[in-house]
Amino acid sequence: GENVEQHPSTLSVQEGDSAVIKCTYSDSASNYFPWYKQELGKGPQLIIDIRSNVGEKKDQRIAVTLNKTAKHFSLHITETQPEDSAVYFCAASYSGGGADGLTFGKGTHLIIQP
Amino acid sequence: SQTIHQWPATLVQPVGSPLSLECTVEGTSNPNLYWYRQAAGRGLQLLFYSVGIGQISSEVPQNLSASRPQDRQFILSSKKLLLSDSGFYLCAWGPGAVNIQYFGAGTRLSVL
C-alpha cells in the first residue's frame, strides 16, 4: 500500500518569512495529492491540492509543487502570518473514480513567531 | 453548498460501553463517505469507507463497525469500547467522481 513520509514534524518561522513542508510517497500509481490545515480541536480543512498531470499550483500565498520522478511534493507558504499557525497534513491517493481513502503523512506543526 | 455534520463533539465513555457516532451530509447525493481516526500527535488513519447505502469497506481490523442506513448518513459503532478506542474521530465525504475529501469537525472520544 501507499506510504507517505512528511518532514519536518515541527517548523518554526518568523512572521513574514516563508515555510516549506515536504512529503514523499511510495506508490507510483498515486495521482492526487491534497494538503490539509488542521487547527486545534477542529477537523482538517483542504487548502490546496494537485494532480499528477501538473507540476505546480498556486493559490495566493500557498503553492504546491510535485516531482513525479522523485515521488515527492511540497507545500510552500509565503509571507507567513500568525493565522497560518496550525498542523499541516499532506496526503496521497490514486484517484481512479473509486472511493479510495487518502494516505496521510504524520503532520507538521507550523509555528509562526511574531 | 454542501455541509457535513458530526455529533457529538465530545464523548466520555466507560470501558465496555457501546458507541454510536453519527455523521450526515447535506447538499449532495450519493457521496462517498469515510471514517478516520486520529490518535494524539499522529496522522489520520482510514477506518471505513462507503460508496453507497449498505456498502461498507473496512481498512483495518478493529473493535469498530460502520453502517450507512441512508444515502447521506454514516454511523460508527462499537458494542464494547476498549481503552485503545480513545481518539479523535473524523467523518469525511467526497463527490465520488474525483478523490477530493472534506472533513467534519470531529468527535473527541475518551474511553476511561
Side-chain angles (χ1 to χ4, degrees):
Chain A
E2 175 67 278
N3 182 51
V4 176
E5 299 285 341
Q6 182 172 348
H7 300 279
S9 57
T10 303
L11 177 61
S12 182
V13 301
Q14 290 294 125
E15 182 178 349
D17 288 350
S18 296
V20 181
I21 302 170
K22 299 180 179 181
C23 290
T24 60
Y25 61 100
S26 61
D27 189 348
S28 57
S30 289
N31 59 4
Y32 175 64
F33 308 94
W35 285 89
Y36 289 85
K37 175 184 180 182
Q38 186 175 28
E39 297 176 341
L40 191 63
K42 298 184 178 180
Q45 177 188 11
L46 178 66
I47 56 172
I48 196 167
D49 57 11
I50 192 168
R51 300 190 183 276
S52 58
N53 58 346
V54 298
E56 184 176 4
K57 184 177 179 180
K58 289 183 179 180
D59 183 3
Q60 299 181 357
R61 297 186 296 109
I62 294 173
V64 57
T65 58
L66 172 65
N67 183 327
K68 288 187 295 182
T69 302
K71 288 190 281 189
H72 67 70
F73 55 114
S74 301
L75 177 70
H76 304 254
I77 305 174
T78 59
E79 301 174 12
T80 53
Q81 300 170 4
E83 54 265 36
D84 294 329
S85 293
V87 179
Y88 291 80
F89 291 95
C90 63
S93 78
Y94 171 68
S95 183
D100 307 90
L102 297 169
T103 301
F104 284 84
K106 293 189 175 180
T108 295
H109 186 191
L110 177 61
I111 301 167
I112 307 302
Q113 301 281 5
Chain B
S1 64
Q2 301 87 4
T3 55
I4 180 169
H5 303 280
Q6 266 190 262
W7 66 92
T10 305
L11 188 61
V12 180
Q13 291 285 98
V15 170
S17 64
L19 173 73
S20 181
L21 302 181
E22 189 164 344
C23 171
T24 60
V25 181
E26 296 178 354
T28 187
S29 59
N30 196 32
N32 292 336
L33 296 172
Y34 307 83
W35 279 111
Y36 288 86
R37 177 168 56 200
Q38 185 175 30
R42 301 186 65 179
L44 291 81
Q45 180 187 35
L46 179 65
L47 301 177
F48 302 95
Y49 68 90
S50 172
V51 299
I53 296 174
Q55 301 179 62
I56 309 294
S57 296
S58 174
E59 287 293 300
V60 293
Q62 58 207 309
N63 185 41
L64 303 168
S65 62
S67 62
R68 184 171 178 173
Q70 300 181 40
D71 181 45
R72 290 169 289 178
Q73 183 185 31
F74 207 21
I75 297 172
L76 184 68
S77 304
S78 174
K79 292 182 179 178
K80 289 185 178 181
L81 284 169
L82 306 172
L83 288 173
S84 57
D85 291 323
S86 293
F88 192 44
Y89 288 84
L90 291 152
C91 181
W93 78 273
V98 292
N99 199 9
I100 295 174
Q101 294 181 25
Y102 302 98
F103 285 83
T107 295
R108 175 77 57 192
L109 172 65
S110 298
V111 182
L112 304 177

